[in-house]
């Protein structure tokens, strides 16, 4: 399957600083999604929202 990586430098908030590629950039913050599965954009956003909610609850290391 095909993977897509979205990367951003630690602390960056501007979406113009996000990079995307088919391999890792090695940045501290990176999201990998297996994009070859026929997943819709909404399904990806739902998964990202679930991760965000998990982090906001304080269940993630920080």
């Amino acid at each position: 399957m095909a993977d897509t990586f979205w990367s951003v430098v630690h602390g960056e908030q501007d979406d113009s600083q996000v990079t995307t590629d088919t391999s890792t950039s090695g940045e501290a913050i990176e999201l990998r999604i297996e994009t070859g599965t026929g997943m819709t954009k909404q399904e990806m956003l739902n998964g990202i929202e679930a991760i965000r909610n998990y982090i906001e609850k304080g269940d993630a290391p920080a």
Side-chain angles (χ1 to χ4, degrees), residues 6-7 9-10 12 15-16 18-20 23 25-27 33-34 37 41-44 47 52-55 61:
W6 287 266
S7 306
V9 175
H10 175 107
E12 186 59 64
D15 64 356
S16 70
V18 175
T19 60
T20 185
S23 61
S25 69
E27 294 296 345
I33 297 178
E34 191 174 318
T37 61
K41 186 184 289 188
Q42 187 60 56
E43 289 170 327
M44 288 193 294
R52 178 187 173 132
N53 292 339
Y54 183 86
I55 292 169

Side-chain angles (χ1 to χ4, degrees), residues 23-57:
S23 61
T24 181
S25 69
E27 294 296 345
I29 300 172
E30 206 162 57
L31 173 68
R32 180 192 65 86
I33 297 178
E34 191 174 318
T35 52
T37 61
M39 188 180 333
T40 67
K41 186 184 289 188
Q42 187 60 56
E43 289 170 327
M44 288 193 294
L45 291 171
N46 290 347
I48 293 167
E49 186 65 21
I51 293 168
R52 178 187 173 132
N53 292 339
Y54 183 86
I55 292 169
E56 285 179 342
K57 285 180 184 176

